[in-house]
Amino acid sequence: MSLQFGRGAFIKLGEEGSSSYGTIASSMPVNNRIISASFQKTQEKERKTHLSQSGAGGFQNGHFEAFLNVGGSIDLPLLYEGTGMLLKASLGAVTTTDLGVSEDPRYQHDYEPASDGELPSLSIGLQRGTGSYEVFLGCKVSSLSISGSAGEEITASFDIIAQDSNSRGTATTSSFGSGRQMFHFECGVLNYNSATYKMKSFEFSLDNKLERRNVLGDKKTLEPITNDIKDVTLNVTLEMEDNALFDAYIAGTQSDVEFTLTNSPDGDSCNILIRNCYITDYSDDVNTFGALERTMVFVGEGDSSNEPIRIRVTNNQSTGVDN
């Protein structure tokens, strides 16, 4: 029996359709390289509560199957082309604009919350390194995190709630797209309240507040729903240069915050915009002989005109969910 290794692991993605939750997608055309995946099917088992015992020793005498919990997290490199299906699943919808044949890149994809607030479901196939292939069904993104630090790759982490998975089968092959990966040196300045700031690190977070729906008659969840107010935040570390952000924190100033990553030489870009942000958790401790730093969290809010979040990707793919 040969050992299995994590090398060569990847995922395949397909959209299930609005009326096909938990049914395997008709095709899974998007392939993504991954950093790690904790996807798992877990069968809870509980001890029966009656007072009988197995003998004089006083040990339990029987158990039953409780909930079947399926899901986990996926960490992967963020791409200018090829991560769109996961971004759409995280935010809810994508609108694509053709900028014209003379433009390069030609297409603009805006990922924003859907008008009804719903999130699409995916089928996600996990090739477990050199081992088996497992397809997870009814996958919904519970939370998304995009992060980057000076000197590092830009990565994304997706926490997934799924309904079920098919039996593990024989290994499959990958078909990766040609999308370029995002890196730290492609990140522009942070814009907030008519000023710009160079970032040392950032972490964008979106929490969809999804919850499982367990009912009598089934060990699996029904389609998860949002059961609380969604959160969108941006945690940043900046060098300490002035008191403008501290003053905005104390004053409760609200303004849009955004930054853009741009690839050279093809000009693909990814812009993250959070609207109506106010600052929380500000800190600029004096604790070193060297340059001081400040950390803070920007919290976005919606209004009557716009939802608080938009991710805009510009590339040469004609749809926002291509490989």
Side-chain angles (χ1 to χ4, degrees), residues 284-293:
D284 56 7
D285 295 344
V286 180
N287 54 14
T288 178
F289 285 101
L292 297 179
E293 296 180 350

Side-chain angles (χ1 to χ4, degrees), residues 234-262:
L234 180 68
N235 190 328
V236 299
T237 300
L238 314 172
E239 293 180 321
M240 186 67 186
E241 297 175 304
D242 58 30
N243 291 313
L245 290 170
F246 174 75
D247 293 341
Y249 162 62
I250 295 299
T253 301
Q254 285 190 266
S255 179
D256 294 351
V257 64
E258 66 177 323
F259 63 95
T260 303
L261 294 111
T262 305

Side-chain angles (χ1 to χ4, degrees), residues 32-50:
N32 285 161
R33 295 176 174 87
I34 62 172
I35 298 170
S36 65
S38 66
F39 255 21
Q40 189 76 41
K41 177 191 286 188
T42 304
Q43 177 60 69
E44 294 182 354
K45 295 180 174 66
E46 300 288 345
R47 180 179 67 85
K48 292 181 180 178
T49 56
H50 58 65

Side-chain angles (χ1 to χ4, degrees), residues 5-186:
F5 297 89
R7 57 178 180 257
F10 63 91
I11 57 173
K12 289 178 174 285
L13 305 169
E15 295 183 300
E16 292 183 341
S18 58
S19 60
S20 303
Y21 175 75
T23 301
I24 189 169
S26 58
S27 66
M28 302 176 69
V30 175
N31 291 229
N32 285 161
R33 295 176 174 87
I34 62 172
I35 298 170
S36 65
S38 66
F39 255 21
Q40 189 76 41
K41 177 191 286 188
T42 304
Q43 177 60 69
E44 294 182 354
K45 295 180 174 66
E46 300 288 345
R47 180 179 67 85
K48 292 181 180 178
T49 56
H50 58 65
L51 299 180
S52 297
Q53 59 186 33
S54 59
F59 294 94
Q60 76 176 56
N61 182 16
H63 68 279
F64 67 97
E65 294 182 346
F67 297 134
L68 183 68
N69 291 325
V70 186
S73 64
I74 300 171
D75 297 338
L76 47 75
L78 197 61
L79 308 177
Y80 292 101
E81 296 179 343
T83 317
M85 187 173 289
L86 282 168
L87 292 178
K88 178 185 175 183
S90 301
L91 275 76
V94 59
T95 302
T96 296
T97 303
D98 186 345
L99 301 176
V101 294
S102 63
E103 296 296 321
D104 188 19
R106 177 173 175 175
Y107 298 98
Q108 175 181 288
H109 313 288
D110 287 349
Y111 301 89
E112 297 182 279
S115 58
D116 59 3
E118 295 297 318
L119 297 171
S121 63
L122 303 176
S123 295
I124 301 179
L126 172 62
Q127 175 57 46
R128 305 177 64 85
T130 63
S132 55
Y133 178 64
E134 184 175 9
V135 178
F136 293 82
L137 309 173
C139 298
K140 289 204 164 191
V141 178
S142 177
S143 64
L144 160 66
S145 173
I146 298 174
S147 59
S149 296
E152 297 182 359
E153 304 169 297
I154 308 301
T155 62
S157 179
F158 302 85
D159 286 331
I160 308 289
I161 295 177
Q163 185 183 54
D164 202 354
S165 72
N166 291 341
S167 299
R168 296 180 180 180
T170 56
T172 188
T173 56
S174 61
S175 180
F176 298 120
S178 58
R180 296 179 184 270
Q181 188 176 339
M182 299 182 197
F183 296 104
H184 68 103
F185 54 83
E186 299 171 335

Side-chain angles (χ1 to χ4, degrees), residues 213-240:
R213 296 166 58 206
N214 295 114
V215 296
L216 289 171
D218 202 336
K219 292 183 290 185
K220 300 179 292 187
T221 180
L222 302 180
E223 185 171 2
I225 59 171
T226 297
N227 233 15
D228 203 346
I229 299 296
K230 298 180 182 181
D231 292 330
V232 57
T233 61
L234 180 68
N235 190 328
V236 299
T237 300
L238 314 172
E239 293 180 321
M240 186 67 186

Side-chain angles (χ1 to χ4, degrees), residues 14 72-73 116 136 162 168 200-201 208 247-248 251 268 270 308-309:
S73 64
D116 59 3
F136 293 82
R168 296 180 180 180
K200 295 177 69 69
S201 66
N208 286 319
D247 293 341
D268 289 350
C270 176
I309 174 62

